[in-house]
Amino acid sequence: MKNIKHIYKILTVATLLFTIGSCTTEDLDPSLEQNKSVEDGINSINNISGLMLGAYEYLTESGYYGRDYIITNEVRTDNCFSNGNSGRFTTEASFAYNANTGYFYDEAYEAIAIANVIIAQDITALATDTSELEEGYHIQGQAYALRALVHFDLLKQYGQMNTGGTLGIAYVTEYKGEDLYPSRSTYSENVTAIMADLQTAFDMMSDDYYDSTKITMSKYSAKAIESRVAIYFEMWDDAISASEAVINSGLYSMVSSANYVSSWSAGSQQNSIFELAYTSSDNLSSNSLGFIYRLGDSGSYGDVQVLDEVIDIFEEGDVRADILGYEGTLLRNLYKYPDINGSDNVPVIRYEEIILNYAEALYESTGGGLSELNSLRTNRGLAGLTTITKDAIIDERRKELMFEGFRFDDLMRTGQDIEKTSLQQNFTSTISYGDYRLAYPIPQNDIDTNANMVQNEGY
């Protein structure tokens, strides 16, 4: 594991300029030996545009949204388990990880580092005309939104909200800042910083730069992320206003029932708010989601299997059940991220999540939300409910967002135990809410090299 200084890596001008041409993760990967600051190589709006694409690349890596972040949040729940076919994810699924296990910590702070480079730029000095000025501010807005999203992802996994502590994560806002050994803020301080970054992002981004491909963040991506953050921390009024901003934008809609399954093999759908791009030539291959979710005919890993009883939670006629299927007798996720080699885009934020967030916030705030919840149910081929409950909302979220990495977060934010419901699950008994294992350990190398870094309890 790389040490905390990895957050503040330095790029050479040559690397920067080459990045702008190709924008691959490898080209952006900096090292401490390089001795030319990235800021010295930025002289145009085109430069920061290239860097922004590079920041997105870090999110696509297998350690992050490309696989591990999603899978780890599924195998630690009542959705999936690791069958050990290739030995992958049994440690995570057993809650047996330690400070040397590794996770997405490095990729996350690498993305944050690039976002901070972009945020630090004087756009007025880089822009040559009004159009470039607006574009530059829009790119900086994306950087603020990405910084907020990534810190939020880190907070959910490493923060102590669900283990009885108060610590969050190190919220890094400067590239190569004076504090090379940051300490952890409280999780409440993290939430304040995240929400502030999202508001700044929304204010800076322009409707004129709406990305119809959905592979970069647009103005309402910031509000969608805000909706997600607010739901997690029970900020119901914020969740309502953020959700309404996305809904009222008119830019997004639910994918139809008829196209629900096929939509997962086609990018830039009407329900996508932000997604990560992969292609047949730029994919994760054996490290992809498809490779770990199913066996297929190409010798893929197929370690992550669906618990047998999961098929029973779907009502008759629910098109979401069609995502499931069998390989022999093994229940599988067959059609979310269907390409076995990972050339499908990975949606990070979908419109359906916003509808669910809105319904929950309305329920918690006023007792409402029934029509919003039913709008999703009827779209998926089901009859509407006559009454709404918290359990009904969480159950609907499970069915809609299954295999996308939401289940662990939903159990945590609602204070639920990780129940042992099946012999197939890798852990031996129910894990009570508050157990130290519900917060991931800070990587040991960061503990060893940063005297200000405090480890989570139990590790």
Side-chain angles (χ1 to χ4, degrees):
M1 186 69 67
K2 310 173 188 79
N3 67 39
I4 196 70
K5 290 182 184 177
H6 197 67
I7 298 171
Y8 308 98
K9 294 237 182 138
I10 299 171
L11 291 163
T12 60
V13 175
T15 301
L16 170 65
L17 295 177
F18 189 70
T19 293
I20 293 165
S22 60
C23 297
T24 67
T25 302
E26 291 77 11
D27 296 327
L28 277 163
D29 190 25
S31 67
L32 289 170
E33 294 81 25
Q34 295 172 318
N35 58 14
K36 184 68 175 176
S37 171
V38 63
E39 292 97 331
D40 294 341
I42 297 175
N43 52 38
S44 71
I45 297 302
N46 189 48
N47 288 171
I48 64 168
S49 177
L51 282 176
M52 193 66 228
L53 292 176
Y56 289 128
E57 285 278 349
Y58 278 116
L59 274 62
T60 70
E61 292 190 6
S62 63
Y64 202 172
Y65 281 102
R67 186 187 64 185
D68 294 2
Y69 179 75
I70 290 174
I71 295 299
T72 299
N73 279 358
E74 291 292 332
V75 296
R76 293 186 292 170
T77 73
D78 48 4
N79 282 348
C80 299
F81 69 102
S82 175
N83 60 29
N85 187 57
S86 70
R88 288 168 170 79
F89 293 101
T90 55
T91 297
E92 293 82 355
S94 302
F95 289 81
Y97 35 78
N98 58 49
N100 295 308
T101 300
Y103 200 11
F104 72 108
Y105 196 87
D106 287 338
E107 291 88 346
Y109 277 115
E110 286 162 346
I112 289 167
I114 298 178
N116 284 335
V117 170
I118 296 168
I119 288 168
Q121 299 308 305
D122 180 359
I123 298 302
T124 61
L126 298 177
T128 60
D129 55 33
T130 301
S131 176
E132 281 201 347
L133 190 68
E134 290 182 358
E135 181 184 3
Y137 286 136
H138 182 80
I139 294 168
Q140 278 191 327
Q142 290 182 61
Y144 274 104
L146 182 140
R147 186 170 80 177
L149 172 65
V150 177
H151 277 114
F152 178 52
D153 290 344
L154 286 164
L155 178 60
K156 287 184 293 181
Q157 301 301 303
Y158 295 94
Q160 297 177 344
M161 305 82 64
N162 307 305
T163 62
T166 61
L167 289 179
I169 52 156
Y171 205 96
V172 181
T173 59
E174 284 187 281
Y175 176 80
K176 295 197 294 110
E178 293 181 2
D179 186 8
L180 293 177
Y181 300 98
S183 58
R184 300 171 69 179
S185 304
T186 65
Y187 67 78
S188 60
E189 289 171 333
N190 288 159
V191 174
T192 299
I194 290 166
M195 295 294 275
D197 273 354
L198 290 170
Q199 186 59 53
T200 300
F202 181 77
D203 292 341
M204 293 187 75
M205 284 194 276
S206 169
D207 288 328
D208 293 338
Y209 291 94
Y210 170 70
D211 180 6
S212 61
T213 70
K214 318 297 180 67
I215 64 173
T216 64
M217 291 193 197
S218 300
K219 189 175 181 72
Y220 290 96
S221 303
K223 285 298 175 184
I225 299 167
E226 182 181 330
S227 170
R228 181 183 291 181
V229 176
I231 285 292
Y232 194 98
F233 290 101
E234 300 184 344
M235 302 159 65
W236 306 121
D237 289 344
D238 292 306
I240 289 170
S241 61
S243 299
E244 286 179 345
V246 176
I247 293 166
N248 293 336
S249 74
L251 295 170
Y252 316 101
S253 61
M254 285 185 277
V255 72
S256 70
S257 175
N259 293 329
Y260 178 74
V261 174
S262 63
S263 71
W264 288 93
S265 59
S268 307
Q269 297 291 297
Q270 75 261 26
N271 65 333
S272 176
I273 298 175
F274 169 54
E275 61 190 59
L276 297 171
Y278 298 83
T279 68
S280 58
S281 60
D282 177 23
N283 61 71
L284 296 174
S285 188
S286 61
N287 291 321
S288 69
L289 283 162
F291 216 85
I292 203 72
Y293 266 131
R294 62 194 67 90
L295 285 169
D297 299 320
S298 58
S300 49
Y301 297 140
D303 291 63
V304 179
Q305 193 176 322
V306 183
L307 296 174
D308 287 342
E309 56 264 37
V310 165
I311 192 69
D312 298 326
I313 73 172
F314 293 94
E315 301 167 59
E316 185 175 354
D318 193 336
V319 296
R320 294 169 297 194
D322 296 338
I323 289 293
L324 294 162
Y326 288 91
E327 290 183 326
T329 60
L330 308 182
L331 186 62
R332 295 285 194 181
N333 162 27
L334 290 185
Y335 298 112
K336 282 190 179 180
Y337 328 109
D339 184 78
I340 209 74
N341 290 312
S343 65
D344 301 310
N345 286 3
V346 174
V348 176
I349 310 170
R350 295 194 289 120
Y351 184 69
E352 290 85 351
E353 179 198 345
I354 304 305
I355 296 299
L356 287 162
N357 292 349
Y358 191 38
E360 184 174 352
L362 288 171
Y363 171 76
E364 292 287 357
S365 179
T366 66
L370 180 61
S371 63
E372 288 73 21
L373 190 66
N374 281 340
S375 70
L376 178 62
R377 285 180 55 85
T378 56
N379 178 277
R380 299 306 189 234
L382 302 174
L385 301 173
T386 57
T387 59
I388 186 170
T389 65
K390 184 75 166 187
D391 286 344
I393 296 167
I394 299 303
D395 288 345
E396 208 62 43
R397 288 181 66 90
R398 185 184 181 190
K399 290 180 285 187
E400 180 64 32
L401 304 173
M402 186 174 287
F403 312 132
E404 299 175 58
F406 286 85
R407 183 60 172 166
F408 182 81
D409 293 343
D410 281 348
L411 293 173
M412 290 300 94
R413 69 182 181 82
T414 53
Q416 298 187 56
D417 299 339
I418 308 294
E419 292 187 8
K420 175 74 173 179
T421 60
S422 168
L423 290 174
Q424 292 176 308
Q425 289 167 297
N426 300 82
F427 51 96
T428 57
S429 60
T430 292
I431 296 172
S432 299
Y433 182 75
D435 189 288
Y436 78 91
R437 290 169 292 179
L438 301 180
Y440 228 81
I442 303 295
Q444 188 60 45
N445 201 43
D446 285 348
I447 298 295
D448 293 341
T449 58
N450 181 1
N452 296 323
M453 186 60 62
V454 176
Q455 183 57 279
N456 284 326
E457 295 292 329
Y459 300 103

